[in-house]
Amino acid sequence: MDVYLVCGSKSDLGVAEECKNLLDSFAVSYRMFIASAHRSPDKIDEIVEKAEQEKVKVIIALCGFAAHLPGVIAAKTTIPVVGVPLDSSPLLGVDSLLSIVQMPGGVPCAGMGIGKSGAKNAAIFAIQILALKDQKLRNRLLAYRKEQRDKIEEANRELSY
Amino acid sequence: MDVYLVCGSKSDLGVAEECKNLLDSFAVSYRMFIASAHRSPDKIDEIVEKAEQEKVKVIIALCGFAAHLPGVIAAKTTIPVVGVPLDSSPLLGVDSLLSIVQMPGGVPCAGMGIGKSGAKNAAIFAIQILALKDQKLRNRLLAYRKEQRDKIEEANRELSY
Amino acid sequence: MDVYLVCGSKSDLGVAEECKNLLDSFAVSYRMFIASAHRSPDKIDEIVEKAEQEKVKVIIALCGFAAHLPGVIAAKTTIPVVGVPLDSSPLLGVDSLLSIVQMPGGVPCAGMGIGKSGAKNAAIFAIQILALKDQKLRNRLLAYRKEQRDKIEEANRELSY
Amino acid sequence: MDVYLVCGSKSDLGVAEECKNLLDSFAVSYRMFIASAHRSPDKIDEIVEKAEQEKVKVIIALCGFAAHLPGVIAAKTTIPVVGVPLDSSPLLGVDSLLSIVQMPGGVPCAGMGIGKSGAKNAAIFAIQILALKDQKLRNRLLAYRKEQRDKIEEANRELSY
Amino acid sequence: MDVYLVCGSKSDLGVAEECKNLLDSFAVSYRMFIASAHRSPDKIDEIVEKAEQEKVKVIIALCGFAAHLPGVIAAKTTIPVVGVPLDSSPLLGVDSLLSIVQMPGGVPCAGMGIGKSGAKNAAIFAIQILALKDQKLRNRLLAYRKEQRDKIEEANRELSY
Amino acid sequence: MDVYLVCGSKSDLGVAEECKNLLDSFAVSYRMFIASAHRSPDKIDEIVEKAEQEKVKVIIALCGFAAHLPGVIAAKTTIPVVGVPLDSSPLLGVDSLLSIVQMPGGVPCAGMGIGKSGAKNAAIFAIQILALKDQKLRNRLLAYRKEQRDKIEEANRELSY
Amino acid sequence: MDVYLVCGSKSDLGVAEECKNLLDSFAVSYRMFIASAHRSPDKIDEIVEKAEQEKVKVIIALCGFAAHLPGVIAAKTTIPVVGVPLDSSPLLGVDSLLSIVQMPGGVPCAGMGIGKSGAKNAAIFAIQILALKDQKLRNRLLAYRKEQRDKIEEANRELSY
Amino acid sequence: MDVYLVCGSKSDLGVAEECKNLLDSFAVSYRMFIASAHRSPDKIDEIVEKAEQEKVKVIIALCGFAAHLPGVIAAKTTIPVVGVPLDSSPLLGVDSLLSIVQMPGGVPCAGMGIGKSGAKNAAIFAIQILALKDQKLRNRLLAYRKEQRDKIEEANRELSY
C-alpha cells in the first residue's frame, strides 16, 4: 500500500476528493479513513499500526479548525506525514495551517496550502516521494507537468483570437 | 490531588512559575509534569491515567508553537482541561492560541490568554472550579479580589501626591 | 441551578441553540438570559446576583464584536465563566476571541472556539465541571464520547463500500 | 474639570505621561485615576459618578490586553470616551485595539492608535472637543499645528546642508 | 450646523444610512457629502472650509480600503473627526481600520468599529459631543439608552415563555 | 531632476539612507524632503508642484503608521509614486503596508516591502523606470544584477571549504 | 509595444478585464499572456525575452495564492514589474499580497491593492510611467482624473435633492 | 547524494546550522548552496540539474521575506522540496510561510514551521523520506525519538526534587 488518506471529519470528504482523483489518475494505491485526534484518539493508533504493517510510504491528513490530526499521527510513526489545512472554521483555515506547520522541533509535519489546492498538492507531493524509487511514476509526473504546460499554451492560443 | 500542571517543554517552566505561585498561595494541592503531545505521546496517557486515579479536578497545560498538548489531553479524559498558549515561537503565541481554542465540537479545551497573564489566570480559573465545593477557598478568592482592589486604591492614593 | 447561559444580543440566540441542545440532552438545569455589557450593564449585576443565589456552577456567555460580556461577568463573581466568541462582526470572530481570552492576570475567562463549535464545547466544558461531583453525569459524558467514536467508525465502514 | 484620564493598570502610567504632558502644555484641567474593568469594577462606577458631578467633557482610558476599560466606562455615561490601546500583551496591541473599537452598535468608544502616539492623540482629540466652545484653546491648537509644521520646515532646512 | 457626514464613495451611501437615521432621530442638523481623499482632494478643502464657516462640531468620515479620508480631513481642521472603517475591500475592513486609527502623533482621528455598527456609533459619539452643551440632547441620549435596556428586558421576557 | 525622496518624519531618515545610497551609486539625481500628510499638508502641495516643474520621473515616499503620505502625493500628480511602508509603529509595518497598497481604484501607489529592503527596492524600481529611456543606466542595472549574482557565487565558493 | 499583461491562471482573466479596459480606453498597446511561475516556468523566459525585444515599458502580472509570478518575472528583466495580488485563495489575498511586496532587497516588484481595484490601478500606474515621455497620454490622465472629480461632484449634486 | 540544502541568502546560514547538525548526526550525505530565486535565478537551474544528476532525494530550501525559493525549485524538478520559512523580515515569518505553503494546485512545496524549529524539522522530515528505503536510518530515527522521550522523563525526574 502506498498512501493512507485520513480525514478529520466526514464533512471533509468533499475536499479529499481532490486528493483521491489525483491518486487514482496516477494509479497509486491508497486507503481512506476518517479519524479525529480528539473524538477517536484510539482510531489513530489503529490506523498508524496498520500503516506500518502495510508499509505505507506517505500519510496524508486533511483537517480543519485546530488541526491536531497530522501532528498526532506524526508523533506515532516515522512515516512522512503531509497535513492539509482546511478552511472549515470561520478563520479561513489560518487556525488549521498554524496547527499543522508550527510543530515543535523533533516531530515534523509537512504543511500544504489551505483547502482544495492543498489537497491536490498533498497527492502530488506523495507521488513525488513514491517516484523517488519508481521511474514509471516519475515519467507520469513529468507527463502531468507537460499537460499543465500544454493547457497554459492552449489558453494563450485562445487569447490570441 | 486538586490540579495537574503539565508543561509542553522544559523551557516552559519559567512561565509555569506564575501558575505554581498562585496555586501555592491558595494552598491548592498539585503535581507538575513535563510532557509533549508529539515527543512523548505515551507520557500523556500515563499522566491522564494517574490524574483519574488521583481524582484530579483540573488539568492545566501550558504549551507554545502548535499547542496540541491541551487538546490531546482533553481527548483522553472528562476532567476539565485549561490550556495556556505561550509565545515561544516567532508568531507571538497566535499559533498556540488558535491550536488551543479552535477545538472541533465535542472535545473542549478552555483557552486562557497568551503567556504569563494566561498562566496566572489558569491557576485562578482552576481555583474557581475547586471553590464551587469549598467555601473556604471561595473566601480566599474573595480576599484575593479585595487585595487586587486595595492595590488599585493604593495606587490611586499615590497618584494624588 | 447548574448553568446560566447569557447571550450578548437577541441575534445570538441561534448559535446559543447549540449550547442549549447539549445541556438539554445531558439533562443539566439552566436558565437563559440576554444581557449586554454595554447596553444593559445593570442587567449583568442582576444576573450575577441571581446566579450566586441559585448556586450556579458555570456561567456561559456568548458574544460577538468586542466581546466584553464574559469578562464583565467574570469581574463580579467567582463562579467560573466560559466565553464563546461569535463571528457576527466582519472580523470573523477574531475581535471577539481576543476580547475574551486576553484578560489581564487576576480575572480569568475561559475561551472556547469561534461560533457554533465553540458554543457546543462551552456546554460540554460546563458539563465536565458539573461531572466532577456527579458520577452519573460523568458516565453520560463517557457515553457521549463513545457515541462520537461510534459515528466515526460507522463513517469508516461507509467508506469501505 | 475638563478631562479624566484613567489607566487600566499602574504599569500603564509611563504611556499616560504622553497624554499628561500635552494636557499640561495646553493648560487643560484633568484628574488621573487607575482603575481596572475587571479587578475594580466598582471603582469605575465611582469614577464615572464623580466625572458627571465635575462636568467632565472627555474621559480618556488607556488599557492593554483585552481592553474592556473604555467600553465599560462608556456603558455608564454619555460623556465621550476615548480609548487608547496599549501594546502591553504579546499581541502588539491588536487585542487591545479590537477590544476598544469593535463596540457593538449603541455604545461608542473612540479608538486612537496603539501606544505612545495614540496616547498623544487622545489628548489632542480631547482638546479639540474642548476647543469647540473655547476660542483660546482653538488658537493654541492652531499654534501647536504651526509648531509641528515649523519643525518639519526646519528639518527640511537641515537636509539641505 | 452640527455634523458633516462625508462618504469616501457613492457606494458607501448604504452604510451611511445607519448614521443618518440616528442623526435624524436625534434631530441633529447635518449635511452630507461624497469626497475622496485621492480622487477629489480639492473637494476636501472645500468641505473643511465650509465646515469651519458653518461652525460644525463633528465631522464623520466613512471610508473603505486604505481609508485616508478621515486623516486627510483631520489634517486640515481642529474640528473633531470621527472615522468609520468600511469592509468594502477583500480585507474585511482591517486595511481601513488601521488607516484610520494608526495616525501618527499630533493629528488624531477617532476610530469606530468596522461597517454598520461603526456607522451607528459614529452618530452616537457625535451626539455625545454635542450633548456636552445641550441638556435636552443629553436627555434624549439617556432615553435612547433606556430604550436599549428595555428592548433587552423585553427579549428576556420573551425567553421565559 | 530624476527622483524626489520624501520621508514622513525626521525619524525615517535612517531607513531612507538605504534608498539614498543606491541612488547615489547609480548617479541618479534626486532631492530629499521631509513632509507629513497630516502635520504639513501644504508642504505636500509645494513638493508636488516643484516636482512637476523639475520634471521629476519618480517620487519615493517612506512612511510608517497609517502611511497616507504616498497616497496623498499620488492624489495630486500623475508622476508615478512609490511607497515604502516602515515598521515604526508597534504593528510591524502592516498598518503602513495596507495604507499604501490598498488605494481605491483610480489613484495608484506602488507598494514596496516593509522597512530597509523596501527602501532599497524603491530606489531600484525608480532606476528601472529611468532606465527605460537611458541605456547607460540599464547597463548599470545589469551590472548591479551581475554583482549580486557574483556575491552569491562567492558565498557558494566559501561554503565549499 | 507598451505593456505586457500576464495572468497567473486562466481563472484570473475576469479580474484582468479591469486592467484591459483601462489600457484600451487610454489607447495603450499591450499584449496579454497566461503564464504560471510554477506550472510553466519556461513560458516566463519566453515572455520576458519577447518583452525585451518588443521594448515593453511595463509588465503587469496578476496572480493569486503564493503569487511568485511578478517576482519571478522581475528576476529576469530590468523592465518595471507591477504585481496585482488576487483573492482567489481562502486567505483573502493576504498570501498573494505578501508574496508580491515582500521581495528581498535588490529585485523590486511594485505591489498594487488586492483584486479588482488593484488591477485597475496597475493599468493607471503603467500609464503614468508611459506618460513620463508622452504629453498626450499625460493629458488623458489629467482628463481621467477630472472625470473622476466630476462624477463625485455629480454624486454630491444628487445628494442635495 | 541524499539531500540538497539551499539557503536564500548568506545571512540564513545560522538557521541552516540546525538542519546541518541533524543531517550530520544521522550521517546523511548532503550538499549546501546559497541561491536566490530573484538575484540568481540561473543558479537555481544549475542546482536543480545537479540534484537530478546526483539522484538527490530531498531538497530543503530555507528562505525569508517573500520566500519564492522553494516554489521556484519545485517548479523545475519532481524531487520533493521542503521549504523552511524564516522570520528575517519584520513580519515574523508570516510572509515567508504563506509564500511557501500557498502554492497553487499542481506544484507542491512542503512547509515546515518558521525559523529554527522548522529548520530542524526539515532535516527530520528529509530523513523520514530517506528512511522509507533504509531500515538502519529508520532505526536511528526510532532511537532519536526514544532520546527525546528519555530527556522528557529525566526532566520529570528533576521536577520531583
Side-chain angles (χ1 to χ4, degrees):
Chain A
M1 187 64 50
D2 296 321
V3 173
Y4 266 26
L5 187 54
V6 191
C7 289
S9 149
K10 210 176 154 176
S11 58
D12 303 336
L13 289 173
V15 186
E17 282 297 299
E18 303 282 335
C19 226
K20 278 183 61 173
N21 293 344
L22 270 163
L23 296 174
D24 281 334
S25 78
F26 277 86
V28 159
S29 65
Y30 64 93
R31 215 185 279 286
M32 199 161 172
F33 303 90
I34 294 169
S36 161
H38 307 114
R39 283 170 295 181
S40 63
D42 296 343
K43 184 76 189 170
I44 310 277
D45 294 335
E46 184 196 316
I47 292 171
V48 169
E49 203 179 331
K50 204 169 172 178
E52 305 240 345
Q53 280 166 10
E54 294 202 288
K55 298 202 178 303
V56 160
K57 308 301 173 298
V58 184
I59 302 176
I60 297 171
L62 299 97
C63 197
F65 289 84
H68 298 193
L69 182 63
V72 164
I73 294 174
K76 307 207 164 174
T77 181
T78 62
I79 300 169
V81 177
V82 177
V84 181
L86 303 183
D87 53 334
S88 37
S89 90
L91 291 180
L92 310 173
V94 171
D95 43 0
S96 187
L97 172 61
L98 298 181
S99 294
I100 287 171
V101 296
Q102 285 295 86
M103 293 286 283
V107 183
C109 181
M112 294 290 130
I114 297 164
K116 288 196 171 183
S117 59
K120 242 178 170 170
N121 277 345
I124 306 279
F125 192 73
I127 296 163
Q128 286 181 315
I129 290 175
L130 296 167
L132 287 171
K133 297 281 172 173
D134 181 341
Q135 186 60 37
K136 261 192 209 160
L137 204 55
R138 192 166 171 263
N139 291 341
R140 279 194 191 175
L141 273 172
L142 294 171
Y144 173 75
R145 293 250 171 139
K146 191 176 171 307
E147 244 172 76
Q148 291 187 310
R149 281 197 306 277
D150 289 351
K151 272 188 202 161
I152 287 171
E153 268 317 313
E154 202 188 299
N156 275 299
R157 275 192 299 274
E158 280 171 31
L159 281 184
S160 322
Y161 293 101
Chain B
M1 187 64 49
D2 294 323
V3 173
Y4 266 24
L5 188 53
V6 191
C7 289
S9 150
K10 210 177 154 176
S11 59
D12 303 336
L13 290 174
V15 187
E17 282 297 299
E18 303 282 335
C19 226
K20 278 184 61 176
N21 292 344
L22 270 163
L23 295 174
D24 281 334
S25 78
F26 277 87
V28 159
S29 66
Y30 64 93
R31 215 185 280 286
M32 200 161 173
F33 303 89
I34 294 169
S36 161
H38 307 114
R39 283 170 294 182
S40 63
D42 297 342
K43 183 77 188 170
I44 310 277
D45 293 335
E46 184 196 317
I47 292 171
V48 168
E49 203 179 330
K50 204 169 173 179
E52 304 240 344
Q53 280 167 10
E54 294 203 288
K55 298 202 177 302
V56 160
K57 309 301 172 299
V58 184
I59 301 175
I60 296 172
L62 300 96
C63 197
F65 289 84
H68 298 193
L69 182 63
V72 164
I73 295 175
K76 306 209 165 173
T77 181
T78 63
I79 300 169
V81 177
V82 178
V84 181
L86 302 184
D87 52 333
S88 37
S89 90
L91 292 181
L92 310 173
V94 171
D95 44 359
S96 187
L97 172 61
L98 297 181
S99 294
I100 288 172
V101 298
Q102 284 296 86
M103 293 285 284
V107 183
C109 181
M112 295 288 131
I114 297 163
K116 288 195 174 184
S117 59
K120 240 178 170 170
N121 277 345
I124 306 278
F125 191 73
I127 295 164
Q128 286 181 315
I129 290 175
L130 296 167
L132 287 171
K133 297 281 172 172
D134 181 342
Q135 186 59 38
K136 260 193 209 160
L137 204 54
R138 192 166 171 262
N139 290 343
R140 279 193 191 175
L141 273 171
L142 294 170
Y144 173 75
R145 292 249 172 141
K146 191 176 172 305
E147 243 173 76
Q148 291 187 311
R149 281 197 305 277
D150 289 352
K151 271 188 204 162
I152 287 172
E153 267 318 313
E154 203 188 299
N156 275 299
R157 273 192 301 275
E158 281 172 30
L159 279 185
S160 322
Y161 294 100
Chain C
M1 187 63 51
D2 294 323
V3 173
Y4 266 25
L5 189 53
V6 191
C7 289
S9 149
K10 210 175 153 177
S11 59
D12 303 336
L13 289 174
V15 186
E17 282 297 298
E18 303 282 334
C19 226
K20 278 183 61 174
N21 292 345
L22 270 163
L23 295 174
D24 280 334
S25 79
F26 278 86
V28 159
S29 66
Y30 65 93
R31 214 185 281 286
M32 200 160 173
F33 302 89
I34 294 169
S36 161
H38 307 114
R39 283 170 295 182
S40 62
D42 297 342
K43 183 78 189 168
I44 310 277
D45 293 335
E46 184 196 316
I47 292 171
V48 169
E49 202 178 332
K50 204 169 172 179
E52 304 241 345
Q53 280 166 10
E54 294 202 288
K55 298 200 177 304
V56 161
K57 308 302 172 299
V58 184
I59 301 175
I60 296 171
L62 299 96
C63 197
F65 289 83
H68 297 193
L69 182 63
V72 163
I73 294 175
K76 307 209 164 173
T77 181
T78 63
I79 300 169
V81 176
V82 177
V84 181
L86 303 184
D87 53 332
S88 38
S89 91
L91 291 181
L92 310 173
V94 171
D95 43 0
S96 187
L97 172 62
L98 297 182
S99 295
I100 287 172
V101 297
Q102 285 295 86
M103 293 286 284
V107 183
C109 180
M112 295 289 131
I114 297 163
K116 287 195 173 183
S117 58
K120 242 176 167 171
N121 277 346
I124 306 278
F125 192 73
I127 295 165
Q128 285 181 315
I129 290 175
L130 296 168
L132 286 171
K133 297 280 173 174
D134 181 340
Q135 186 59 39
K136 260 192 209 159
L137 204 54
R138 193 167 170 262
N139 290 342
R140 279 192 191 176
L141 272 172
L142 294 171
Y144 173 74
R145 293 249 172 140
K146 192 177 171 306
E147 243 172 79
Q148 290 187 311
R149 281 196 307 276
D150 290 351
K151 270 188 205 162
I152 287 172
E153 267 319 312
E154 203 188 298
N156 275 300
R157 274 192 301 274
E158 279 171 32
L159 280 184
S160 322
Y161 294 100
Chain D
M1 186 65 49
D2 295 322
V3 173
Y4 265 25
L5 187 54
V6 191
C7 289
S9 150
K10 208 174 155 177
S11 58
D12 303 337
L13 289 174
V15 186
E17 281 297 299
E18 304 282 335
C19 226
K20 277 183 62 175
N21 293 345
L22 270 163
L23 295 174
D24 281 334
S25 78
F26 278 86
V28 158
S29 65
Y30 64 92
R31 213 185 281 284
M32 200 161 172
F33 302 89
I34 295 169
S36 160
H38 307 114
R39 283 171 295 182
S40 63
D42 296 343
K43 184 77 190 170
I44 310 278
D45 293 335
E46 184 196 317
I47 292 171
V48 169
E49 203 179 331
K50 204 168 171 180
E52 304 241 344
Q53 280 166 10
E54 295 202 288
K55 299 203 177 302
V56 160
K57 308 301 175 297
V58 184
I59 301 176
I60 296 172
L62 299 96
C63 197
F65 289 83
H68 298 193
L69 182 63
V72 164
I73 295 174
K76 307 207 164 175
T77 181
T78 62
I79 300 170
V81 176
V82 177
V84 181
L86 302 183
D87 53 333
S88 37
S89 91
L91 291 180
L92 310 173
V94 171
D95 43 0
S96 187
L97 172 62
L98 297 182
S99 295
I100 288 171
V101 297
Q102 285 295 86
M103 294 285 283
V107 183
C109 180
M112 294 289 130
I114 297 165
K116 288 195 173 184
S117 59
K120 240 177 170 170
N121 278 345
I124 306 279
F125 192 73
I127 296 164
Q128 286 181 316
I129 290 175
L130 296 168
L132 287 170
K133 297 282 172 171
D134 181 341
Q135 186 60 37
K136 260 192 210 162
L137 204 55
R138 192 166 171 263
N139 290 342
R140 279 192 190 176
L141 273 171
L142 294 171
Y144 172 75
R145 293 248 170 141
K146 191 177 172 306
E147 246 173 74
Q148 291 188 310
R149 281 197 306 276
D150 289 351
K151 272 188 203 162
I152 287 171
E153 267 319 311
E154 202 188 298
N156 275 300
R157 273 192 301 274
E158 280 171 30
L159 281 184
S160 321
Y161 294 100
Chain E
M1 186 66 50
D2 296 321
V3 173
Y4 266 24
L5 188 54
V6 190
C7 289
S9 148
K10 208 175 155 178
S11 58
D12 302 337
L13 289 174
V15 187
E17 282 297 297
E18 304 282 334
C19 228
K20 278 183 62 174
N21 292 344
L22 270 163
L23 295 175
D24 281 335
S25 79
F26 277 87
V28 158
S29 64
Y30 65 92
R31 214 186 280 285
M32 201 161 172
F33 302 89
I34 295 169
S36 160
H38 308 113
R39 283 170 295 183
S40 61
D42 296 343
K43 183 76 189 170
I44 311 277
D45 293 334
E46 181 196 319
I47 292 171
V48 169
E49 202 178 334
K50 203 168 172 180
E52 304 240 345
Q53 280 165 10
E54 295 201 288
K55 298 200 176 304
V56 161
K57 309 300 173 301
V58 185
I59 300 175
I60 297 173
L62 299 97
C63 197
F65 289 83
H68 298 193
L69 181 63
V72 163
I73 294 175
K76 306 208 165 174
T77 180
T78 63
I79 299 170
V81 176
V82 177
V84 181
L86 303 183
D87 52 334
S88 38
S89 91
L91 291 180
L92 310 172
V94 171
D95 43 359
S96 186
L97 172 61
L98 297 181
S99 295
I100 288 172
V101 296
Q102 286 295 87
M103 293 285 284
V107 183
C109 179
M112 295 289 130
I114 297 163
K116 287 196 173 184
S117 59
K120 241 178 168 170
N121 277 344
I124 306 279
F125 192 73
I127 295 165
Q128 285 181 315
I129 290 175
L130 296 168
L132 287 171
K133 298 280 173 174
D134 180 341
Q135 186 59 39
K136 261 193 208 159
L137 204 54
R138 192 165 171 262
N139 290 342
R140 278 192 191 176
L141 272 171
L142 294 171
Y144 173 74
R145 292 249 171 140
K146 192 175 170 308
E147 243 172 77
Q148 290 188 311
R149 281 196 307 278
D150 289 350
K151 271 188 203 162
I152 287 172
E153 266 321 311
E154 202 188 298
N156 275 300
R157 274 192 302 273
E158 280 171 32
L159 281 184
S160 322
Y161 295 99
Chain F
M1 186 66 49
D2 295 322
V3 173
Y4 266 25
L5 188 54
V6 190
C7 289
S9 149
K10 208 176 155 178
S11 59
D12 303 337
L13 290 174
V15 186
E17 282 296 299
E18 304 282 335
C19 228
K20 278 183 61 175
N21 293 343
L22 271 162
L23 295 175
D24 280 336
S25 78
F26 277 86
V28 158
S29 65
Y30 64 92
R31 212 185 281 284
M32 201 161 171
F33 302 89
I34 295 170
S36 161
H38 307 114
R39 282 171 294 182
S40 62
D42 297 343
K43 182 78 189 167
I44 311 278
D45 293 335
E46 183 195 318
I47 292 170
V48 168
E49 202 178 333
K50 204 168 172 180
E52 305 240 343
Q53 280 165 9
E54 296 202 287
K55 300 204 177 299
V56 160
K57 308 300 174 300
V58 184
I59 300 176
I60 296 173
L62 299 96
C63 196
F65 289 84
H68 298 193
L69 181 63
V72 163
I73 295 175
K76 306 206 165 175
T77 181
T78 62
I79 300 170
V81 177
V82 177
V84 181
L86 303 183
D87 53 334
S88 38
S89 91
L91 292 180
L92 311 171
V94 171
D95 43 0
S96 186
L97 172 61
L98 297 181
S99 295
I100 288 172
V101 295
Q102 285 295 87
M103 292 286 284
V107 183
C109 179
M112 295 289 131
I114 297 164
K116 287 194 174 186
S117 58
K120 241 177 169 171
N121 278 344
I124 307 280
F125 191 73
I127 296 164
Q128 286 182 316
I129 290 175
L130 296 168
L132 287 171
K133 297 281 172 174
D134 180 342
Q135 186 59 36
K136 262 192 208 161
L137 203 54
R138 192 166 172 263
N139 289 343
R140 280 192 190 176
L141 272 172
L142 293 171
Y144 172 74
R145 292 249 171 141
K146 192 176 171 308
E147 244 173 76
Q148 290 188 310
R149 281 197 307 277
D150 289 351
K151 272 189 202 162
I152 287 173
E153 267 320 311
E154 201 188 298
N156 275 300
R157 274 193 301 274
E158 281 171 30
L159 280 184
S160 322
Y161 293 100
Chain G
M1 186 66 50
D2 295 320
V3 173
Y4 266 25
L5 187 55
V6 191
C7 288
S9 151
K10 208 175 155 177
S11 58
D12 303 336
L13 289 175
V15 187
E17 282 296 299
E18 303 282 335
C19 228
K20 278 183 61 173
N21 293 344
L22 270 162
L23 295 174
D24 281 334
S25 79
F26 278 85
V28 159
S29 65
Y30 63 93
R31 213 185 280 284
M32 201 162 173
F33 302 89
I34 295 169
S36 161
H38 307 113
R39 284 170 294 182
S40 63
D42 296 342
K43 183 76 189 168
I44 310 278
D45 294 334
E46 183 195 317
I47 292 171
V48 169
E49 203 178 332
K50 204 168 172 177
E52 305 240 344
Q53 281 165 9
E54 295 202 289
K55 300 202 176 303
V56 160
K57 308 301 173 299
V58 185
I59 300 176
I60 296 172
L62 299 97
C63 197
F65 290 84
H68 298 193
L69 182 62
V72 163
I73 294 173
K76 306 206 165 176
T77 181
T78 62
I79 299 170
V81 177
V82 177
V84 181
L86 302 183
D87 52 334
S88 38
S89 91
L91 292 180
L92 310 172
V94 171
D95 42 0
S96 186
L97 172 62
L98 297 180
S99 295
I100 288 172
V101 296
Q102 285 295 88
M103 294 286 283
V107 183
C109 180
M112 294 290 131
I114 297 164
K116 289 196 173 184
S117 58
K120 241 178 169 169
N121 277 345
I124 306 279
F125 191 73
I127 296 164
Q128 285 182 315
I129 290 174
L130 296 168
L132 287 170
K133 297 280 173 174
D134 180 341
Q135 186 60 36
K136 260 192 209 160
L137 204 53
R138 190 162 173 265
N139 290 342
R140 278 193 191 175
L141 273 171
L142 294 171
Y144 173 74
R145 293 248 171 140
K146 189 173 175 306
E147 244 172 75
Q148 290 189 311
R149 282 197 306 275
D150 288 351
K151 272 188 202 161
I152 287 172
E153 267 320 311
E154 200 188 300
N156 275 300
R157 275 193 301 273
E158 280 171 31
L159 281 184
S160 322
Y161 293 100
Chain H
M1 186 63 51
D2 295 323
V3 173
Y4 266 25
L5 188 55
V6 191
C7 288
S9 149
K10 210 176 154 177
S11 59
D12 302 336
L13 289 174
V15 186
E17 282 297 298
E18 304 282 335
C19 226
K20 278 184 62 175
N21 293 344
L22 271 163
L23 295 174
D24 280 334
S25 79
F26 277 87
V28 158
S29 65
Y30 64 93
R31 214 185 280 286
M32 200 160 171
F33 303 89
I34 294 168
S36 161
H38 307 114
R39 282 170 296 181
S40 62
D42 296 342
K43 182 78 188 167
I44 310 277
D45 293 335
E46 183 195 317
I47 292 171
V48 169
E49 203 178 331
K50 203 169 173 179
E52 304 241 345
Q53 280 166 10
E54 294 201 289
K55 299 203 177 302
V56 161
K57 309 298 174 301
V58 185
I59 301 175
I60 296 172
L62 300 96
C63 197
F65 289 83
H68 297 193
L69 181 64
V72 163
I73 295 175
K76 307 209 164 172
T77 181
T78 64
I79 301 169
V81 176
V82 177
V84 181
L86 303 183
D87 52 333
S88 37
S89 91
L91 291 181
L92 310 172
V94 171
D95 44 0
S96 187
L97 172 61
L98 298 182
S99 294
I100 288 171
V101 297
Q102 286 294 89
M103 293 285 285
V107 183
C109 180
M112 296 287 131
I114 297 163
K116 288 196 173 184
S117 58
K120 243 178 167 169
N121 278 345
I124 306 279
F125 191 73
I127 296 164
Q128 286 181 316
I129 290 175
L130 296 168
L132 286 171
K133 297 281 172 174
D134 181 341
Q135 186 59 37
K136 261 193 209 161
L137 203 55
R138 192 165 171 262
N139 290 343
R140 279 192 191 175
L141 272 172
L142 293 170
Y144 173 74
R145 292 248 171 142
K146 192 177 170 308
E147 243 173 76
Q148 290 189 310
R149 281 197 305 277
D150 289 351
K151 271 189 203 161
I152 287 172
E153 266 321 310
E154 202 188 299
N156 275 300
R157 274 192 302 274
E158 280 171 31
L159 280 185
S160 322
Y161 294 100

